[in-house]
């Protein structure tokens, strides 16, 4: 099942005035420093320029145009044209999006790729479009824990730590394990740990390196074979903006988005290896969760995050079932 931009959107295209159309793309990640999410957006910009369809994408990294959590409202309202965005950040507006950071639901990169080509992702894309954005590229990032106090393996090891978790599903699980929560985007974790606001955090492997968290942590829990943390961070374009483009411009964006998605899928596992190497070289202890550790966390998650999502979110159980049906 391949992702297809809805025909209704293509049909809505109208001719533009002469001259290149300029799209502004915003994201929170460091620019020009090898972050794969920045590279995806830059790749799309280059490919669209090479398509020669009078379309230019200007990339504004590092929250230089919009703050991290402002991007969803801006792109869905049409104020912002494009973004690379951790979708769970928008769960306050679309609660179903918290399924994209559900503990243990993805577990490995191979399963993430299969999810991209499934009824689960088709439904998720529909919800994104209904809210006012169109997916150009799917991207799943694995991640782990970093702590200033001790290595985080089984649930007992996080008790008493003030932790950043990124989204409600993880927060519910961590609170049940005895952690306290301080919510913030990944771009603020370094300062939070540096100032003592945070003892620990979980975030993607890419962010662990890009935001230099190896300078603050004493122990890293890497994804390994039992990745509890996976987050969906697609490249989005405003539906209002997309509908204004002509058919050639839309096709150039779709084609560029697919190439960036394929490139990212090949890079994703390498981000984990790069993280482990970087933290090890910085003298940080690196561990992985055992199967027993993973199972202990998943038991708590099913009693908290999964149950709450199924009971309280419209269509929640159906989304979980669709994701779990992907083998």
């Amino acid at each position: 099942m391949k992702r297809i931009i809805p025909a209704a959107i293509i049909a809505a295209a109208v001719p533009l005035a002469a001259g290149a159309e300029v799209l502004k793309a915003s994201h929170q990640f460091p620019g020009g420093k090898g972050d794969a999410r920045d590279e995806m957006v830059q790749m799309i910009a280059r490919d669209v320029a090479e398509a020669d369809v009078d379309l230019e994408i200007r990339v504004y990294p590092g929250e230089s145009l919009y703050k991290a959590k402002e991007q969803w409202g801006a792109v869905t309202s049409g104020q912002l044209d494009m973004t690379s965005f951790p979708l769970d950040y928008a769960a306050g507006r679309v609660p179903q999006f918290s399924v994209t950071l559900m503990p243990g639901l993805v577990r490995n990169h191979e399963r993430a790729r299969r999810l991209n080509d499934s009824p689960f992702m088709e439904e998720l894309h529909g919800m994104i479009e209904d809210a006012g954005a169109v997916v150009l590229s799917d991207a799943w990032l694995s991640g782990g824990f970093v702590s200033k106090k001790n290595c985080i393996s089984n649930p007992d090891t996080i008790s008493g730590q003030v932790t950043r978790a990124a989204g409600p599903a993880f927060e519910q699980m961590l609170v049940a394990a005895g952690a306290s929560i301080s919510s913030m985007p990944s771009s603020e974790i370094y300062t939070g740990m540096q100032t003592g606001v945070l003892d620990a955090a979980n975030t993607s492997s890419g962010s662990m390196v890009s935001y230099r968290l190896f300078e603050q942590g004493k122990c890293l829990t890497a994804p390994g074979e039992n990745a509890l943390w996976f987050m969906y961070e697609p490249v989005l374009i405003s539906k209002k903006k997309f509908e204004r483009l002509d058919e050639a411009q839309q096709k150039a964006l779709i084609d560029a988005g697919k190439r960036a998605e394929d490139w990212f899928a090949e890079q994703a596992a390498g981000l984990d290896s790069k993280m482990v190497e970087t933290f090890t070289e910085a003298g940080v202890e690196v561990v992985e969760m055992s199967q027993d550790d993973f199972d202990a966390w998943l038991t708590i998650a099913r009693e908290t995050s999964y149950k709450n999502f199924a009971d309280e979110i419209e269509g929640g159980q159906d989304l979980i079932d669709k994701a779990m049906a992907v083998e």
Side-chain angles (χ1 to χ4, degrees):
M1 182 181 302
K2 296 187 179 296
R3 183 180 75 253
I4 300 174
I5 302 296
I9 295 180
I10 297 289
V14 295
L16 293 169
E21 177 82 2
V22 176
L23 303 182
K24 293 182 178 180
S26 167
H27 64 72
Q28 73 193 64
F29 313 108
K33 297 182 179 180
D35 188 287
R37 293 153 296 190
D38 175 60
E39 291 294 328
M40 283 183 76
V41 181
Q42 300 285 358
M43 183 181 297
I44 292 171
R46 290 192 298 269
D47 282 359
V48 167
E50 291 174 1
D52 194 22
V53 290
D54 291 327
L55 190 61
E56 177 186 353
I57 299 172
R58 296 177 185 170
V59 184
Y60 297 82
E63 299 183 294
S64 58
L65 191 60
Y66 284 92
K67 293 296 183 183
K69 293 193 176 183
E70 295 174 353
Q71 293 173 129
W72 175 254
V75 79
T76 53
S77 67
Q79 294 176 314
L80 172 64
D81 301 321
M82 289 177 59
T83 183
S84 172
F85 184 73
L87 194 66
D88 190 82
Y89 284 12
R93 300 194 185 195
V94 185
Q96 289 84 355
F97 289 168
S98 64
V99 76
T100 62
L101 188 56
M102 189 67 69
L105 192 66
V106 180
R107 191 163 184 165
N108 59 59
H109 294 287
E110 291 75 18
R111 191 160 188 277
R113 295 194 72 166
R114 294 194 295 273
L115 278 172
N116 284 347
D117 191 26
S118 72
F120 167 79
M121 190 58 74
E122 184 178 352
E123 183 167 349
L124 192 63
H125 281 198
M127 288 188 288
I128 293 169
E129 184 194 338
D130 288 344
V134 174
V135 176
L136 293 178
S137 304
D138 291 315
W140 289 92
L141 289 90
S142 60
F145 292 86
V146 61
S147 175
K148 296 173 65 174
K149 288 190 171 182
N150 56 267
C151 296
I152 297 171
S153 52
N154 61 63
D156 291 340
T157 57
I158 205 167
S159 180
Q161 297 198 52
V162 180
T163 308
R164 179 267 187 185
F170 254 85
E171 290 176 357
Q172 290 161 11
M173 179 191 69
L174 293 173
V175 167
S180 299
I181 301 298
S182 182
S183 298
M184 62 187 70
S186 56
S187 53
E188 298 176 13
I189 294 174
Y190 187 101
T191 301
M193 296 186 77
Q194 184 180 48
T195 59
V197 172
L198 290 177
D199 299 315
N202 51 18
T203 190
S204 69
S205 299
S207 290
M208 289 278 195
V209 175
S210 294
Y211 294 126
R212 304 183 66 84
L213 300 186
F214 49 86
E215 295 179 353
Q216 295 298 321
K218 291 184 178 179
C219 186
L220 168 74
T221 307
E225 295 297 319
N226 300 294
L228 193 66
W229 197 101
F230 259 86
M231 191 173 197
Y232 178 59
E233 302 188 19
V235 178
L236 306 174
I237 184 169
S238 165
K239 184 178 177 181
K240 288 182 179 180
K241 176 61 70 171
F242 191 79
E243 289 176 342
R244 289 190 62 245
L245 303 176
D246 65 36
E247 188 171 350
Q249 292 168 331
Q250 291 180 348
K251 184 178 186 301
L253 280 165
I254 294 167
D255 291 347
K258 184 62 171 67
R259 282 192 291 273
E261 178 181 311
D262 291 343
W263 173 84
F264 183 85
E266 294 176 356
Q267 301 297 311
L271 297 177
D272 300 342
S273 300
K274 180 180 179 181
M275 175 184 64
V276 169
E277 180 182 347
T278 302
F279 274 70
T280 299
E281 288 179 352
V284 178
E285 184 178 0
V286 178
V287 299
E288 295 180 3
M289 285 188 185
S290 67
Q291 181 68 53
D292 287 343
D293 293 334
F294 180 89
D295 290 343
W297 280 109
L298 199 56
T299 295
I300 295 175
R302 285 172 174 160
E303 294 170 350
T304 56
S305 309
Y306 283 66
K307 185 179 187 303
N308 292 341
F309 189 79
D311 292 347
E312 298 174 9
I313 305 303
E314 182 179 355
Q317 187 62 59
D318 181 61
L319 275 171
I320 290 174
D321 290 345
K322 285 181 177 176
M324 296 186 72
V326 177
E327 297 181 355

